[in-house]
Amino acid sequence: MTKTQQTSQTADGKRQSEARTAVTRSASPRRLSRGLAAGAALLLAALTAAPALAAPPAGAGQAPADVAQAGQGRGTLLSLTPLGSRRRDEVVARAQKAGLDAGTARYGVAAYRLTYRTITPDGRPTTASGLLALPRGGGRQLPPVVHTHGTLAYRGYAPSVSEGPDRAVTALYASAGRAAIAPDYLGLGMSPGRHPYMDARSAASASLDMLRAARSAAPRLGAALAHEVSVTGFSQGGQVTMELGRALDRGADPHFRLGMLAPVGGPYDLDGSELPAMFDGRVDTRSAVFYIAFFLTAQNRLHPLYTHPGEVFRAPYADRVEELFDGDHPAEDIAGKLPGRLEDLLTDTWYRKLQHPSGALLEALRANDRTCDWTPDREVRITLYTATGDRDVPIANTRSCADELSGHGAKVTVVDQGRDADHYTSFLRSEPSIARALPVARR
């Protein structure tokens, strides 16, 4: 973003998506709202100046009241809530306000929130929500594209709840003639409980079940989903893209087959690339603080790392850090309550442990470092987007992913958006290519 663009932001633009409001080199609210553009292994990458975000609707974070009467299978559609329609020019205006290239927009778009059945990381039944956007007049048999969002600490910023950047890009993909699907993930949007942050498997399973729910919803809306699925995502969503791609490629649902993968800036290699970069200066220090705090508090619920926060976090942060990441605090509220350096956040023991992971910590990292370790079908098109200038998710993550996929015989294209592109800019530069490459409905 140029200095001129920064000074001309509207009041709406100042209330950007989480990552942009989360962490910066200054603690002032104005600077915080322009800070860190997204989500390395752990934060949402902002998709630019988002519109003002509405408060979560009543019931956000709670299961629908009619769950007991609904079907029992994963992906069962529980409710379908219209979120309104936009003309083509309105889709274009929203996209451009978010800094997106809107050259592929052709139709108006209708948006819907879906709530559906899925499972927790340990396999128990739960519910989740997500956004479905369909073109108005763009054909009945629509190719589905899944957009997986970056890190969110606040459930009210999820795609199906917020008039934010993820909704803008999802509408843009739909406007070209596609069924565009943006899962909220567990613990965000209308899903109960806390978000199991950076648990790639549960994020992918919730995304797969959202795809199934969208298939059920489409006929009620005068459309149908084609078989071939494209998956794209940004930042944390890049990791989810690869895990969901693996599930689809292995036949997780017989109705769908994987056609294209196009993630941007994903944290595919936490142990070997992302975590070391937080200690050697390749990741911005305040970004590292936010990411590490969110990651450790979330992973502790999945891979017990500590019994009391004081074992990991220094005072006064030990008394507040878990509450800050409960899903009800926007990142702009969180950032000012965390320090600027990892040395000030972590105890000496955990500062050393994160530089030399072992035990349960190493297990948690490696559990999420397998998203590129598989053999895709030779017909699957794979393009990995990144940027040498990314100080949230260093390019080493993408190189590691490309090496793993290539080692399995996959043909992978890596696109480097340059040294002058930060994390968010890498997405802005990649989006036009992704949008043009995605399949569209045939009239």
Side-chain angles (χ1 to χ4, degrees), residues 113-133:
R113 180 190 304 117
L114 310 185
T115 57
Y116 59 94
R117 287 193 176 278
T118 188
I119 56 173
T120 63
D122 60 1
R124 292 179 291 110
T126 189
T127 61
S129 56
L131 175 68
L132 171 63

Side-chain angles (χ1 to χ4, degrees), residues 59 105 108 113 162 165 223 226 229 252 311 338 343 353 371 401 440:
R113 180 190 304 117
S162 164
V229 181
E311 299 169 24
L338 294 176
E343 298 96 311
K353 184 185 288 287
T371 60
C401 182
V440 296

Side-chain angles (χ1 to χ4, degrees), residues 260-323:
M260 172 180 160
L261 291 172
V264 184
Y268 316 109
D269 183 18
L270 300 181
D271 183 31
S273 299
E274 186 66 31
L275 193 57
M278 293 184 180
F279 289 90
D280 65 18
R282 284 177 290 157
V283 172
D284 177 82
T285 56
R286 284 189 174 272
S287 302
V289 166
F290 192 99
Y291 300 158
I292 287 293
F294 198 2
F295 179 76
L296 292 178
T297 54
Q299 289 294 313
N300 190 54
R301 297 190 297 273
L302 306 176
H303 308 268
L305 304 176
Y306 57 85
T307 56
H308 186 275
E311 299 169 24
V312 179
F313 305 103
R314 292 182 183 273
Y317 312 109
D319 293 334
R320 68 177 70 149
V321 67
E322 291 191 336
E323 180 182 353

Side-chain angles (χ1 to χ4, degrees), residues 12 15-19 21 44 46-58 60 81 83-84 86 94 98 111-114 129-133 147 149-171 182-184 188-190 330 332:
D12 284 351
R15 297 184 60 195
Q16 298 180 5
S17 66
E18 298 241 287
T21 56
L44 161 72
L47 303 182
T48 67
L53 301 174
T81 304
L83 299 176
R86 289 180 183 161
R94 286 290 190 183
Y112 306 88
R113 180 190 304 117
L114 310 185
S129 56
L131 175 68
L132 171 63
H147 165 73
H149 67 75
T151 303
L152 291 170
Y154 178 48
R155 68 178 72 254
Y157 287 167
S160 82
V161 176
S162 164
E163 276 282 7
D166 288 300
R167 189 175 294 187
V169 74
T170 304
D184 292 337
L188 297 172
M190 306 297 289
E332 55 267 39

Side-chain angles (χ1 to χ4, degrees), residues 64 66-67 70-71 75-80 114-117 126-128 213:
D66 60 346
V67 166
T76 297
L77 181 65
L78 300 177
S79 66
L80 189 161
L114 310 185
T115 57
Y116 59 94
R117 287 193 176 278
T126 189
T127 61

Side-chain angles (χ1 to χ4, degrees), residues 200-288:
R201 291 185 61 186
S202 66
S205 66
S207 299
L208 176 61
D209 291 340
M210 172 63 188
L211 183 61
R212 290 166 168 151
R215 183 190 173 207
S216 297
R220 307 183 189 187
L221 304 170
L225 268 58
H227 295 288
E228 185 171 289
V229 181
S230 301
V231 189
T232 182
F234 178 40
S235 195
Q236 183 199 356
Q239 181 199 62
V240 181
T241 292
M242 296 307 301
E243 186 69 14
L244 176 59
R246 171 162 57 181
L248 289 168
D249 196 59
R250 292 182 173 180
D253 190 297
H255 180 80
F256 297 112
R257 64 175 181 270
L258 180 64
M260 172 180 160
L261 291 172
V264 184
Y268 316 109
D269 183 18
L270 300 181
D271 183 31
S273 299
E274 186 66 31
L275 193 57
M278 293 184 180
F279 289 90
D280 65 18
R282 284 177 290 157
V283 172
D284 177 82
T285 56
R286 284 189 174 272
S287 302

